[in-house]
């Protein structure tokens, strides 16, 4: 039995506007910090969770704007059943 689900509900509360060319939607931006270089440097990684049906075809070096800030895609990964994807980003 297949379930009909509205995936936009998952992004409605915490999602921020995302655009890439003519593609528009919502995404959840995570910015986890990590200590590197033997505890000397603190770095921030940018990961955007969004709908694969809208942003799943983005690939390395594509431009994307998240909540008004420009980023470049480093990697695109499908999550679980492929309905969502995570875009690893670099702030430009």
């Amino acid at each position: 039995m297949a379930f009909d689900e509205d995936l936009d509900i998952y992004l409605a509360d915490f999602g921020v506007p995302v655009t890439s060319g003519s593609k528009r939607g919502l995404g959840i931006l995570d910015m986890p910090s990590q200590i590197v270089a033997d505890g000397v440097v603190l770095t921030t990684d940018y990961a955007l969770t969004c709908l694969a049906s809208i942003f799943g075809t983005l690939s390395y070096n594509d431009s994307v704007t998240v909540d008004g800030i420009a980023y470049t895609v480093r990697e695109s990964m499908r999550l679980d059943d492929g309905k969502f994807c995570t875009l690893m980003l670099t702030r430009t």
Side-chain angles (χ1 to χ4, degrees):
M1 172 186 216
F3 291 101
D4 237 357
E5 53 194 2
D6 182 3
L7 299 177
D8 292 326
I9 291 173
Y10 294 104
L11 302 171
D13 288 337
F14 301 105
V16 294
V18 179
T19 59
S20 180
S22 63
K23 300 175 184 187
R24 301 190 187 303
L26 293 175
I28 297 173
L29 182 65
D30 291 315
M31 298 184 297
S33 294
Q34 182 179 3
I35 298 174
V36 296
D38 203 21
V40 178
V41 177
L42 183 65
T43 183
T44 301
D45 209 6
Y46 300 96
L48 179 72
T49 302
C50 50
L51 292 176
S53 61
I54 300 173
F55 300 105
T57 59
L58 294 180
S59 59
Y60 179 77
N61 217 26
D62 284 341
S63 297
V64 62
T65 302
V66 181
D67 206 17
I69 300 172
Y71 296 89
T72 302
V73 177
R74 289 190 344 244
E75 186 177 1
S76 177
M77 301 172 288
R78 298 272 175 151
L79 299 175
D80 298 327
D81 62 356
K83 303 281 185 185
F84 287 96
C85 64
T86 296
L87 301 177
M88 301 306 296
L89 305 172
T90 300
R91 192 168 175 173
T92 50

